[in-house]
Amino acid sequence: MQFISDSKSLVSIFKRLCSKYNHYMWSVAWAGEPHGFDLAQVLSRNERKIENIVVGLHFYQTSPSFIKRFVDNRNVKFYMQSDGTFHAKVYLFYNTSNDWSAIIGSSNFTSSGFHNNEEANVVIDNSDTGITFKELYSFISNIWKNAEYFTSEQLRTYSDTHCYQQRKHKSLSQFTKQNRIPTILEVMTWE
């Protein structure tokens, strides 16, 4: 087991696992732009290795370009649940049930999740005890059963809403570290 908290190590390990293993089974809350994100390009080059990938859509964070890129791939589905938030980030790579690795943690399949954000992930493999291949495989398989394929009409609707939501997110960027809203504790007096 290996703990990863820096993006350079995470990207390096992710690329190594993409190269080493012949099957990808992932469950991820969001996926980013396929054109500016190096790992999305790695995924595109290795598309034949996708067994099942499920990508969430909550908060309209998944890039419509990612959906469009993989909309015709019958091994990629999207999680459209309306209650709660689909937030899992499990990347399972394997050749056999005795030869596998997984990254589990906070990184979404986005440039921010792998390059810019402060993220924490753990890499495990078949030599680790505690979590088995069967558990990870079953977890993703169960999510796959509840996921759906995208239609062209859904993609148009999602793209329009995504664009609108992104404008709202950008308008909130004024509240960054330089201009953040103080917490109630910061403005309270001793009285």
Side-chain angles (χ1 to χ4, degrees):
M1 181 181 304
Q2 180 182 358
F3 177 71
I4 308 167
S5 60
D6 68 284
S7 61
K8 188 175 180 180
S9 296
L10 178 61
V11 168
S12 175
I13 290 167
F14 198 92
K15 286 180 178 179
R16 181 177 54 81
L17 298 179
C18 283
S19 176
K20 178 180 178 181
Y21 293 102
N22 294 317
H23 302 276
Y24 304 166
M25 286 189 69
W26 302 349
S27 170
V28 61
W30 303 324
E33 272 303 315
H35 304 296
F37 177 34
D38 58 338
L39 296 180
Q41 294 168 11
V42 169
L43 177 61
S44 289
R45 286 192 303 272
N46 291 285
E47 188 169 355
R48 71 190 185 294
K49 295 182 176 184
I50 298 172
E51 184 171 330
N52 294 132
I53 292 180
V54 179
V55 178
L57 302 172
H58 276 81
F59 311 115
Y60 297 94
Q61 292 296 313
T62 291
S63 165
S65 296
F66 181 90
I67 299 167
K68 184 176 181 180
R69 167 62 185 85
F70 292 100
V71 73
D72 294 325
N73 186 319
R74 303 317 281 175
N75 295 328
V76 178
K77 285 185 175 181
F78 298 90
Y79 207 75
M80 303 180 199
Q81 146 189 341
S82 59
D83 294 334
T85 302
F86 176 71
H87 214 246
K89 291 114 180 159
V90 178
Y91 303 90
L92 175 62
F93 303 85
Y94 76 96
N95 289 323
T96 68
S97 61
N98 294 319
D99 180 18
W100 60 272
S101 293
I103 297 174
I104 303 170
S106 63
S107 293
N108 283 301
F109 194 64
T110 62
S111 184
S112 294
F114 277 83
H115 294 287
N116 305 331
N117 294 350
E118 295 291 330
E119 304 280 358
N121 295 279
V122 175
V123 179
I124 60 172
D125 63 31
N126 48 276
S127 68
D128 292 307
T129 58
I131 297 177
T132 66
F133 173 82
K134 184 179 177 182
E135 289 173 302
L136 293 170
Y137 191 93
S138 293
F139 174 77
I140 296 169
S141 294
N142 287 332
I143 289 171
W144 176 263
K145 291 175 192 171
N146 294 312
E148 301 174 34
Y149 296 109
F150 240 76
T151 66
S152 297
E153 174 136 346
Q154 286 172 314
L155 179 55
R156 278 191 298 277
T157 302
Y158 180 89
S159 294
D160 290 345
T161 307
H162 177 270
C163 183
Y164 172 75
Q165 293 296 333
Q166 292 306 304
R167 284 194 304 268
K168 285 177 31 180
H169 288 295
K170 284 182 182 165
S171 74
L172 295 174
S173 66
Q174 64 181 316
F175 302 111
T176 60
K177 290 180 183 177
Q178 298 89 3
N179 256 342
R180 66 182 179 79
I181 299 172
T183 66
I184 189 70
L185 291 175
E186 292 174 299
V187 294
M188 288 177 72
T189 65
W190 282 104
E191 293 81 35

